[in-house]
Amino acid sequence: MEKQINGKTRTNDEKKNQESHEAQANMWKFVFGFTEMAVIKCAIELGITDFLEKNQEPISLNQLSIALGCCYSSLYRILRFLINRGIFKETSTKSGKSGYVQTPLSRLLIKEGENSMAAFLLFESSPVMLASWHNLSARISSKDNSMSSFEAAHGKDVWKYAEADPKHSNLLNNAMACDARVAVSAIIDGCPEIFEGVNTVVDVGGGDGTTLRLLVEAFPWINGINFDQPHVASVAPHAIGVVHVGGDMFNYVPKADAAFLMWVLHDWSDEECIQILTKCREAIPQDNGKVIILEAIIGEKEENIIRGSNNKKLKDVGLMLDMVMMAHTSNGKERTTKEWAYVLNEAGFNKHTISHINAVQSVIQAYPS
C-alpha cells in the first residue's frame, strides 16, 4: 500500500513539475511576445518576402544579403527566427547550398500581394499605435473610463490624429484596404447573392475606396459611393464606378439601395452605433433597402470564439480585436449576437440575418421592414 501511495505521490509531483515548466515556458512567450511582431515588421521593411517572391528558385543567404544590402550574419539570425515560426523555409539551391523560399504564411507579407496583411502589421506595429497599449491599465483603473488609451498617449483620438498626420492616415487607410481585399473576396466567394438587385451601395467609412472597387469589379451593375471624412475622401484614388464623397456619418449618409459598413461600428459605443445606423436607415429605401455590416461576432460566455468561423485557429482573434478596441478607441468593442440585435433593434431594424464567411468577420444584413 505504501509503494502505491508513494507511486501516486511521485506521479502527482511529476505532473506538478511538468505544469510548472510549461507555465514558465508560456510566460517567457508572453514576456517576449512583441518580438514576433517586431521581427516580422523588420522582414517586411527589408523586402525579404518581395525578393523571394520575384525569384521562385531557392535563394542563398549570400545572394539575399547582397541583393538587400544587409549584414550577412544579422540576416541569418532574422531568417533563423522566422523559419522557426513557420515563416520562410530553408531548402537546397541548385548548387546544393542552403537557400530560402516562401511559405503560405510568408506570402501574406508581400507588400503588394493580393491577400497581403503587410500593411495591417505595419500599421499596428507603428510607434503611434503601440503607444496606446502602455496606457491600457490607466484607462481601466479610471472611474469614468472616458479617455481612450490612444488619447491618453497622443492628446487626441485616433481619427483626429490621422486627420492631422497624413503619413499616419496613409498607414491607416492602407491597413483597412489590406483587410478589405481579404474580406471582400470572402463575401464574393461565400455569399454573392447579397448584392443581387442592389444598384447603388454607399460604403460608410470606406477609406480609400478599395472595398467598393472590388465589389464593382465583381458586380458591375453596382454604382458605388465611397463615403468617409473629407480628408480621406479628397485623396482617394479614382476607381471606375465609384464616386468619393466627404462627410460625417453622424450627421447624414448619402442615399443608396444599401449601406455597407465594414469594421466601422466596432469603433463606437452602442449609443453611437445606434446613431450611425439610424442615419443609414434614413439613407436607404424603407421597403427594400438594407444595411450590410461586416464585423467579428464574439461567442457567448465560455465559448470565447468568433461564432461560425470556419477556422478554429481564428478563435482568439475576436477577443484580441476587443482588446484593440479598448486600447485604440474610447467606447469601441466587439459584440455578441445579442449585443448586435440590441443596437439594430434600437436603430429601427426589425429584421436581420447573419452569414458566416471564411474571414474574421461575419456578414450581418439588417432590414428596416
Side-chain angles (χ1 to χ4, degrees):
M1 180 64 70
E2 184 176 348
K3 290 183 179 180
Q4 290 178 346
I5 293 174
N6 290 339
K8 289 182 179 179
T9 301
R10 284 196 296 270
T11 300
N12 290 336
D13 288 343
E14 289 172 358
K15 183 178 180 181
K16 287 180 180 179
N17 288 335
Q18 183 179 355
E19 290 174 345
S20 177
H21 292 154
E22 289 178 358
Q24 288 181 4
N26 285 329
M27 186 51 64
W28 279 118
K29 291 180 181 179
F30 296 144
V31 170
F32 294 114
F34 68 92
T35 57
E36 292 181 344
M37 172 186 274
V39 177
I40 293 171
K41 178 184 181 182
C42 175
I44 295 171
E45 292 175 337
L46 292 175
I48 298 174
T49 52
D50 297 271
F51 186 81
L52 291 180
E53 187 67 15
K54 291 177 183 177
N55 298 270
Q56 296 296 317
E57 298 294 330
I59 302 298
S60 70
L61 180 62
N62 186 56
Q63 288 176 298
L64 195 56
S65 64
I66 293 173
L68 301 180
C70 296
C71 170
Y72 182 96
S73 59
S74 296
L75 183 60
Y76 168 75
R77 291 162 66 187
I78 290 287
L79 287 166
R80 180 176 61 183
F81 177 88
L82 293 173
I83 287 170
N84 191 51
R85 295 300 187 278
I87 303 171
F88 305 125
K89 182 180 178 182
E90 192 170 7
T91 187
S92 297
T93 65
K94 288 183 178 179
S95 62
K97 296 181 179 180
S98 180
Y100 302 95
V101 294
Q102 296 273 58
T103 65
L105 191 53
S106 68
R107 286 193 172 92
L108 296 178
L109 302 176
I110 301 169
K111 290 180 182 177
E112 302 299 328
E114 182 179 353
N115 295 318
S116 173
M117 295 186 69
F120 216 116
L121 190 138
L122 291 176
F123 170 68
E124 290 293 348
S125 63
S126 67
V128 172
M129 301 310 292
L130 288 177
S132 59
W133 290 102
H134 294 285
N135 293 276
L136 187 60
S137 59
R139 173 195 168 165
I140 297 170
S141 61
S142 65
K143 291 183 179 180
D144 59 2
N145 198 35
S146 60
M147 182 180 291
S148 71
S149 303
F150 188 96
E151 192 171 353
H154 301 292
K156 57 185 72 173
D157 67 32
V158 65
W159 297 279
K160 289 180 180 177
Y161 189 97
E163 184 176 1
D165 187 334
K167 183 178 180 181
H168 184 71
S169 179
N170 189 54
L171 270 180
L172 171 60
N173 290 330
N174 286 343
M176 295 302 101
C178 157
D179 176 67
R181 285 189 288 270
V182 176
V184 173
S185 176
I187 294 174
I188 294 169
D189 293 339
C191 47
E193 66 278 0
I194 68 175
F195 293 103
E196 291 179 2
V198 177
N199 296 316
T200 55
V201 175
V202 55
D203 186 359
V204 182
D208 68 359
T210 296
T211 295
L212 277 179
R213 177 178 58 79
L214 294 172
L215 288 176
V216 170
E217 287 176 0
F219 312 110
W221 61 84
I222 290 178
N223 294 300
I225 304 168
N226 184 48
F227 183 61
D228 211 312
Q229 296 178 77
H231 75 275
V232 177
S234 63
V235 296
H238 171 74
I240 297 174
V242 178
V243 296
H244 302 291
V245 177
D248 184 347
M249 63 186 175
F250 288 98
N251 292 329
Y252 83 101
V253 170
K255 300 287 185 181
D257 294 334
F260 187 94
L261 302 99
M262 181 169 68
W263 268 8
V264 170
L265 298 176
H266 72 170
D267 293 328
W268 305 97
S269 68
D270 287 353
E271 292 73 20
E272 290 164 322
C273 283
I274 292 166
Q275 187 178 346
I276 296 167
L277 286 166
T278 299
K279 295 301 176 184
C280 290
R281 178 173 54 77
E282 294 170 355
I284 62 175
Q286 296 304 295
D287 54 346
N288 60 356
K290 63 181 174 179
V291 173
I292 304 166
I293 302 165
L294 258 74
E295 293 279 2
I297 300 178
I298 303 298
E300 305 288 349
K301 297 182 180 179
E302 72 280 354
E303 290 177 319
N304 290 335
I305 60 171
I306 296 176
R307 293 181 63 87
S309 170
N310 294 324
N311 187 342
K312 291 182 180 180
K313 290 186 178 180
L314 289 177
K315 67 180 182 179
D316 287 334
V317 177
L319 296 179
M320 286 190 285
L321 284 169
D322 192 45
M323 295 298 98
V324 171
M325 292 301 102
M326 189 177 290
H328 294 345
T329 71
S330 296
N331 300 303
K333 63 179 181 179
E334 303 301 337
R335 292 177 169 85
T336 65
T337 53
K338 291 180 180 178
E339 290 171 322
W340 278 117
Y342 169 76
V343 297
L344 289 169
N345 289 334
E346 289 295 308
F349 292 91
N350 302 317
K351 175 187 174 184
H352 72 273
T353 63
I354 297 176
S355 300
H356 303 297
I357 56 177
N358 192 26
V360 172
Q361 304 96 325
S362 293
V363 181
I364 304 171
Q365 296 181 77
Y367 306 88
S369 61

